């Protein structure tokens, strides 16, 4: 009989629960990725899957189910049996924004059984390194709108840019249509646009010290200091900007038994603490930030409320 290896919990306590001892008892756990292979969601699942399998004494199989902007894969998780053998990674805040705008995704986020959050990517605002602009105040001081670069109006970076700049009171033009984040960043370097907001991990390749030095950060969308010498959201008087993140959230079908949720939560926790995953994360610049089921559920509720405030800003730009 297979048993969960859980970091930080007493083995005796787990063994005392028959339900925990029985899960997982057979068959592979399908870990759904709602996108094609090769992206950030795919990468993190494929790093976690072997460690999760080892922690739980199970076979964990990553399964790419792409299509419909990620909703096809999410639907497959939502409609699965709530036995713990199908879980998936969810695009947050992408799915949150869609729901706020009233789009039918084929599932309700409020009904998903949230298991854990694995990592959080935080955003930063970058301008050309050669620019005289060194703060958001400098950036927004001119008479002309500030040009930002993005892939598409529905991308999380574009949504973040439009809402964040609205909160600050900065007049912008969000230039969309770039084929990927890299092209959007190169557009700043080449002078096609003035600035861009992207995850810090993506910007790193163009920053001094970690990359080419063609870009510099003037703001991190975080509550505290992330990069020495760079202002954060609290510094400029808009701490709510720290709500803009990319979360790697794991969920399952509605109605999963509490003991199965607990087993998966602790398995994911143990995987995140494993040497294989922590070494990978350090080398890849991924900020692991584990949250258990209760904290993840609370975060999801808070994000829904937060984005609902700005539904009109997002909707106007579609």
């Amino acid at each position: 009989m297979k048993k969960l290896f859980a970091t930080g919990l007493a083995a005796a306590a787990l063994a005392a629960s028959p339900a925990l001892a029985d899960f997982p008892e057979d068959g592979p756990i399908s870990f759904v990725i709602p996108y094609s292979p090769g992206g950030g969601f795919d990468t993190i699942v494929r790093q976690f899957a072997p460690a999760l399998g080892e922690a739980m004494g199970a076979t964990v199989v990553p399964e790419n189910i792409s299509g419909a902007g990620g909703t096809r894969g999410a639907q497959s998780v939502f409609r699965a049996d709530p036995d713990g053998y199908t879980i998936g990674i969810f695009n947050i805040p992408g799915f949150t924004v869609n729901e706020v705008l009233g789009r039918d995704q084929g599932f309700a986020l409020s009904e998903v059984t949230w298991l854990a959050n694995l990592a959080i990517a935080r955003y930063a605002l970058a301008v050309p390194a050669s620019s005289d602009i060194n703060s958001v105040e400098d950036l927004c001081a001119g008479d002309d709108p500030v040009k930002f670069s993005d892939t598409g109006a529905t991308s999380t970076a574009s949504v973040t840019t439009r809402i964040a700049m609205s909160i600050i009171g900065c007049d912008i033009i969000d230039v969309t249509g770039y084929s990927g984040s890299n092209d959007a960043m190169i557009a700043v370097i080449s002078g096609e646009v003035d600035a861009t907001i992207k995850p810090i991990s993506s910007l790193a390749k163009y920053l001094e010290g970690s990359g080419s030095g063609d870009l510099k950060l003037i703001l991190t969308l975080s509550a505290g200091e992330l990069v020495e010498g760079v202002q954060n959201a609290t510094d400029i008087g808009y701490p709510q900007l720290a709500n803009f993140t990319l979360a790697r959230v794991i969920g399952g079908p509605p109605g999963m038994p509490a003991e199965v949720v607990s087993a998966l939560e602790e398995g994911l926790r143990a995987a995140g603490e494993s040497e294989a995953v922590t070494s990978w994360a350090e080398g890849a610049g991924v900020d692991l930030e584990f949250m258990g089921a209760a904290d993840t559920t609370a975060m999801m509720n808070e994000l829904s409320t937060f984005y609902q405030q700005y539904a009109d800003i997002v909707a106007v730009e579609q």
Side-chain angles (χ1 to χ4, degrees), residues 189-255:
I189 298 170
S190 67
E192 291 178 21
V193 297
D194 304 307
T196 196
I197 291 179
K198 295 289 176 287
I200 296 174
S201 56
S202 298
L203 292 163
K205 68 175 75 173
Y206 295 116
L207 302 178
E208 185 177 355
S210 58
S212 65
D214 292 312
L215 293 175
K216 64 180 176 182
L217 304 184
I218 61 171
L219 178 70
T220 61
L221 276 60
S222 60
E225 185 179 78
L226 288 184
V227 180
E228 185 177 359
V230 177
Q231 288 186 316
N232 58 64
T234 304
D235 291 334
I236 66 170
Y238 299 100
Q240 64 268 47
L241 298 183
N243 285 302
F244 295 109
T245 62
L246 283 173
R248 307 305 192 186
V249 182
I250 310 303

Side-chain angles (χ1 to χ4, degrees), residues 61-119:
V61 181
E63 182 181 3
N64 296 89
I65 303 178
S66 60
T71 60
R72 183 168 170 262
Q75 288 171 14
S76 73
V77 174
F78 190 80
R79 296 169 182 170
D81 291 335
D83 55 10
Y85 290 96
T86 301
I87 62 175
I89 190 166
F90 285 71
N91 178 350
I92 304 301
F95 291 152
T96 306
V97 170
N98 285 343
E99 197 166 86
V100 165
L101 291 176
R103 294 175 180 153
D104 183 6
Q105 301 185 105
F107 59 92
L109 290 173
S110 62
E111 296 178 19
V112 174
T113 300
W114 299 114
L115 303 170
N117 180 76
L118 305 184

Side-chain angles (χ1 to χ4, degrees), residues 19-20 60 71 82 95 105 129 132 137 143 154 164 181 229 234 236 239 265 288 307 312 314:
L20 279 179
V60 179
T71 60
F95 291 152
Q105 301 185 105
D132 292 333
E137 185 178 4
D143 296 329
T154 60
S181 293
T234 304
I236 66 170
E265 174 187 355
L288 297 176
Y307 279 98
D312 57 336
V314 179

Side-chain angles (χ1 to χ4, degrees), residues 254-277:
M256 292 178 65
E259 61 271 16
V260 174
V261 171
S262 179
L264 285 164
E265 174 187 355
E266 293 307 323
L268 288 162
R269 186 191 304 274
E273 294 174 352
S274 68
E275 183 177 354
V277 170

